[in-house]
Amino acid sequence: MQSPICTMLDIEFPLLAFSHCRDVVVAVSKAGGMGVFGAAALPPERLEEELAWIDDHIGGRPYGVDLIVPNSFAGKGEEKDALPPIPDAHKAFVADLLEKHGVEGDSLGGVSSSLGDNMSDAGAAALLEVAFRHPIKLIANALGVPPPLMLELGKRHNVPVAALVGTRDHALTQVRAGVDILVVAGGEAGGHCGEVATMVLVPEVAAAVAAVGADTPILAAGGIVTGRQMAAAMAMGAHGAWTGSVWLTTAEAETNPVVKDKMLAASSRDTVRSKSRTGKPSRQLRSPWTDAWEAEDAPKPLPMPLQSLVSEPALRKVDKLSEGGHEGAKALATYWVGQGVGLMNEAMGAGQVVQEFKQDWIAACERLNGFIGD
Amino acid sequence: MQSPICTMLDIEFPLLAFSHCRDVVVAVSKAGGMGVFGAAALPPERLEEELAWIDDHIGGRPYGVDLIVPNSFAGKGEEKDALPPIPDAHKAFVADLLEKHGVEGDSLGGVSSSLGDNMSDAGAAALLEVAFRHPIKLIANALGVPPPLMLELGKRHNVPVAALVGTRDHALTQVRAGVDILVVAGGEAGGHCGEVATMVLVPEVAAAVAAVGADTPILAAGGIVTGRQMAAAMAMGAHGAWTGSVWLTTAEAETNPVVKDKMLAASSRDTVRSKSRTGKPSRQLRSPWTDAWEAEDAPKPLPMPLQSLVSEPALRKVDKLSEGGHEGAKALATYWVGQGVGLMNEAMGAGQVVQEFKQDWIAACERLNGFIGD
């Protein structure tokens, strides 16, 4: 396909697949798109293992790595010990919510995620060092302007740096900072997202980038789970698509099977944009867990990364129990997903998803041409 | 253009323009699209005058009429006298908000809108009777399933009936009820809107309609203010576009000039979806008025149509004063508009907007074709 994204990343079809699952990354890259491995919550030694596995299996096809390195967050640059303590109200709320659904035990014990560490300068540097030891073809930052180190390493290794944006102004800030690819994510996206819809944000950012004389290519994100949506975004000024949700229900994905089933059954109305998981607004599958946090009597979510220390251990326990058939846990189980979940109705392999995207893209283009009279 | 919408409505370009301004309706229809006159707040005798004027000026081109006839609302079918009284808390809140901005006087006096009356069965019947005395080519209902009378009259006069929907399930309900055209409106739309974004809702509804074996054509709505977005929606399964916001800043529109200027300057982030204007969620330009209603200490908006009896007289006073240069009123002034306001940066004539839509549609189609390699 004739897109600057294809040229820049040496891929056939400008479809990028964000996934925490190495098998999805490999399958997508092999099918002509590009897998981007989500490494935000891994310690450096685990990232090393995962990327080594990818190198062994991807047959030389290009792939990328995605991190979350915000410019500011509670405790940035400090030791984890220095983070403020979790308020008792939050602990009690979670304990009560779990207990109501028959989930017992200390929900805050055993925080094993490295997300908090990785968001510190030292933690981010360690992950970047690992990533750049591998033949990555893209490095992405999922929150805010990439730190100078990421931009420097990208330049030095000739690896394009991508950054997610949810507003026109943030896009222009990223362009000025020297980002190579803009991932323009509408409010219908799963995970962290803004409020402006993809249908508006993509042409708005495309016009703003052009108006400052830049030619930074745009990947549209937010709600895109089919080739027709990808084509639509490209008709409006994007040069490709960045996707996440659609891979969660693929055969390769390690998504909790209970959540996978919920996603396949969900309509586009079954998501909620809430601060309750990370402290910043992120879109996720609705469940009694998210409903409880949205209720008026719920404690206010803590700032990033503290809220993750409240939610992740509890939700990990919920996942584990739900996979064992625990009814209360099955009800509570949730995960990040975009409104596109309403169009995700069939489980299939990740490579097949890429093929369907291609066919659907072409069909959408033909459909559009068909409106033009002879 | 080869679209079932063009065939059904006898128009050249499947762009529908909802407007309360008869000049916009005439200009759009004359330019090859179709103007749809928003009559929800008019008494029957005023509607008669407006449609007679349109008939005299539109040169035989097709046009439509849009009403708001919900299936259920507070006081439906009853006399206005029977509506519950406005709570003191709401009166005091509005009086206080206006006073803070230097706007004085009884804000609830002189309710002249006929919206409440028109929403009753008898009121709706009177409007429908007027509408069908004129050579309308479309009748649209902006909220819920059209009442049986509207569907009957449409059939009898061979006038297609359109209905706005914001969810897949509502779309299927409308198809079963016998609606001829679905206006599928994403959450980025101005005025009453759901939560699912256009990028997801359009393909979701298109798939659902096809899955039940129906061929009801779809007009995409929500955020669409350019031809590239219209093309995008049509690539995803729509057969044309339904627009509203983009006409508010045209030369013909009777929009408060203060609000017009605000809209031309606004970014896509300057809207809010709030119940504070009508009692149901509707998207509008943010201002200190909407901010106050969104604050935690604000009274809960009343159910439709009561909240309009609180907001409309106050906002009408604000409009009047703001046009006279009153600073407090200029700050408060607001109106319904979608997130597409971020792309509305230049005032022009309504006919010119239609021409730009056509050119931009073609450019988007060419752009999409350009991605396909030789």
Side-chain angles (χ1 to χ4, degrees):
Chain A
M1 196 167 262
Q2 306 291 317
S3 161
I5 292 292
C6 293
T7 313
M8 199 178 258
L9 304 181
D10 193 23
I11 56 178
E12 173 206 329
F13 187 61
L15 172 63
L16 277 76
F18 169 85
S19 177
H20 293 294
C21 175
R22 61 193 191 183
D23 301 84
V24 169
V25 170
V26 166
V28 171
S29 288
K30 284 189 156 176
M34 186 195 240
V36 182
F37 186 68
L42 292 183
E45 60 277 14
R46 287 276 302 111
L47 179 59
E48 174 58 40
E49 283 172 32
E50 297 288 280
L51 298 188
W53 187 93
I54 290 173
D55 292 338
D56 285 348
H57 291 82
I58 206 162
R61 306 299 287 260
Y63 70 94
V65 167
D66 178 279
L67 303 174
I68 301 183
V69 191
N71 283 305
S72 66
F73 67 102
K76 180 168 165 66
E78 296 168 26
E79 296 303 312
K80 191 151 84 186
D81 300 14
L83 285 176
I86 308 292
D88 288 341
H90 290 73
K91 292 184 191 169
F93 180 79
V94 169
D96 185 51
L97 177 54
L98 294 183
E99 196 188 308
K100 270 184 193 152
H101 289 82
V103 178
E104 282 167 40
D106 176 13
S107 69
L108 293 180
V111 179
S112 68
S113 167
S114 298
L115 189 64
D117 291 339
N118 291 348
M119 284 184 179
S120 70
D121 289 339
L127 279 189
L128 284 167
E129 203 211 326
V130 171
F132 279 101
R133 278 209 299 264
H134 294 264
I136 59 170
K137 293 283 180 260
L138 179 76
I139 185 97
N141 191 37
L143 206 66
V145 175
L149 180 61
M150 189 185 281
L151 290 164
E152 274 169 43
L153 287 169
K155 267 218 180 72
R156 195 187 311 161
H157 293 266
N158 202 23
V159 169
V161 179
L164 259 78
V165 299
T167 72
R168 179 195 62 184
D169 291 349
H170 290 172
L172 293 177
T173 304
Q174 299 276 12
V175 167
R176 280 192 294 270
V179 153
D180 302 296
I181 295 173
L182 290 171
V183 179
V184 177
E188 54 267 65
H192 291 121
C193 61
E195 291 186 279
V196 182
T198 305
M199 179 63 90
V200 171
L201 191 64
V202 166
E204 189 182 28
V205 169
V209 169
V212 298
D215 60 356
T216 318
I218 289 171
L219 292 169
I224 301 177
V225 302
T226 63
R228 73 195 67 183
Q229 294 168 294
M230 179 179 172
M234 292 170 76
M236 295 192 295
H239 304 90
W242 174 278
T243 54
S245 301
V246 70
W247 313 104
L248 294 172
T249 52
T250 57
E252 290 88 345
E254 289 150 7
T255 314
N256 173 354
V258 171
V259 172
K260 222 183 234 190
D261 287 347
K262 283 187 180 185
M263 287 180 177
L264 291 172
S267 91
S268 59
R269 299 180 77 188
D270 297 324
T271 73
V272 62
R273 185 175 176 271
S274 166
K275 291 186 178 177
S276 63
R277 185 126 188 188
T278 71
K280 287 183 185 281
S282 70
R283 188 173 294 282
Q284 48 212 288
L285 198 64
R286 273 189 63 182
S287 85
W289 169 273
T290 64
D291 288 348
W293 281 99
E294 293 302 299
E296 280 186 16
D297 61 345
K300 222 177 128 185
L302 301 169
M304 181 177 272
L306 295 175
Q307 184 64 19
S308 297
L309 303 183
V310 174
S311 64
E312 291 305 327
L315 287 172
R316 206 154 309 151
K317 176 176 282 188
V318 162
D319 272 336
K320 193 172 280 182
L321 285 174
S322 70
E323 291 190 45
H326 185 292
E327 290 302 326
K330 280 165 72 176
L332 288 169
T334 175
Y335 195 69
W336 290 288
V337 77
Q339 291 185 336
V341 71
L343 295 164
M344 292 157 45
N345 304 317
E346 199 187 339
M348 58 180 91
Q352 193 188 343
V353 171
V354 178
Q355 298 312 329
E356 299 235 338
F357 256 83
K358 290 181 192 172
Q359 287 164 19
D360 201 43
W361 196 104
I362 294 292
C365 188
E366 284 170 358
R367 182 184 157 79
L368 197 60
N369 286 322
F371 285 111
I372 303 175
D374 299 321
Chain B
M1 196 168 261
Q2 307 290 320
S3 162
I5 292 292
C6 292
T7 314
M8 199 178 258
L9 303 180
D10 193 22
I11 57 177
E12 173 207 326
F13 186 59
L15 173 63
L16 277 76
F18 169 86
S19 177
H20 293 294
C21 174
R22 62 194 189 181
D23 300 84
V24 170
V25 170
V26 165
V28 171
S29 288
K30 283 189 158 177
M34 185 194 240
V36 182
F37 186 69
L42 292 183
E45 60 277 14
R46 287 277 300 113
L47 179 59
E48 173 57 39
E49 284 173 31
E50 296 288 279
L51 298 188
W53 187 93
I54 291 174
D55 292 339
D56 285 347
H57 292 80
I58 206 162
R61 305 300 287 260
Y63 70 95
V65 167
D66 178 280
L67 302 175
I68 301 183
V69 192
N71 284 306
S72 67
F73 67 103
K76 181 169 165 69
E78 296 169 26
E79 298 302 313
K80 190 151 81 185
D81 300 15
L83 285 177
I86 308 291
D88 289 339
H90 290 73
K91 292 183 192 168
F93 180 79
V94 169
D96 186 51
L97 176 55
L98 293 183
E99 196 188 309
K100 271 184 194 152
H101 290 82
V103 179
E104 282 166 40
D106 176 12
S107 70
L108 293 178
V111 178
S112 68
S113 167
S114 298
L115 189 64
D117 292 338
N118 292 347
M119 284 185 178
S120 68
D121 289 339
L127 278 190
L128 284 168
E129 204 211 325
V130 171
F132 279 101
R133 278 206 300 263
H134 293 265
I136 59 170
K137 292 285 180 261
L138 178 76
I139 185 98
N141 191 35
L143 206 68
V145 175
L149 179 62
M150 188 185 283
L151 290 164
E152 274 168 44
L153 287 169
K155 267 219 179 70
R156 196 188 310 161
H157 293 266
N158 201 25
V159 169
V161 179
L164 258 78
V165 298
T167 73
R168 179 194 64 186
D169 291 349
H170 289 171
L172 293 177
T173 303
Q174 299 276 13
V175 168
R176 280 192 294 269
V179 153
D180 301 296
I181 295 173
L182 289 171
V183 179
V184 177
E188 54 266 64
H192 291 120
C193 62
E195 291 187 279
V196 182
T198 305
M199 179 63 88
V200 171
L201 192 63
V202 166
E204 190 182 26
V205 169
V209 169
V212 298
D215 60 356
T216 318
I218 289 171
L219 292 169
I224 301 177
V225 302
T226 63
R228 72 195 69 182
Q229 294 168 295
M230 179 178 173
M234 292 171 75
M236 296 192 294
H239 305 89
W242 173 278
T243 54
S245 300
V246 70
W247 313 104
L248 294 172
T249 52
T250 57
E252 291 87 345
E254 291 150 7
T255 313
N256 173 354
V258 171
V259 172
K260 223 184 234 189
D261 286 346
K262 283 188 180 186
M263 287 179 176
L264 291 171
S267 91
S268 60
R269 299 180 77 188
D270 297 323
T271 73
V272 61
R273 184 175 177 269
S274 165
K275 291 186 178 178
S276 63
R277 185 127 188 186
T278 71
K280 287 182 185 282
S282 70
R283 188 173 294 282
Q284 47 212 288
L285 198 63
R286 273 189 64 183
S287 85
W289 168 273
T290 65
D291 288 347
W293 281 99
E294 293 302 298
E296 279 186 16
D297 61 345
K300 222 177 127 183
L302 302 168
M304 183 179 270
L306 295 175
Q307 184 64 21
S308 296
L309 304 183
V310 174
S311 65
E312 291 306 327
L315 287 172
R316 206 155 308 151
K317 176 176 283 190
V318 162
D319 273 335
K320 194 171 281 182
L321 285 174
S322 69
E323 292 190 45
H326 185 293
E327 289 302 326
K330 280 165 72 175
L332 288 169
T334 176
Y335 194 69
W336 290 287
V337 76
Q339 291 185 336
V341 72
L343 296 163
M344 291 157 47
N345 305 317
E346 199 187 339
M348 58 180 92
Q352 193 188 343
V353 171
V354 178
Q355 298 312 328
E356 299 235 338
F357 256 83
K358 290 181 192 171
Q359 287 163 21
D360 201 42
W361 196 104
I362 293 293
C365 188
E366 283 170 358
R367 182 184 157 80
L368 197 58
N369 286 320
F371 284 110
I372 303 175
D374 298 321

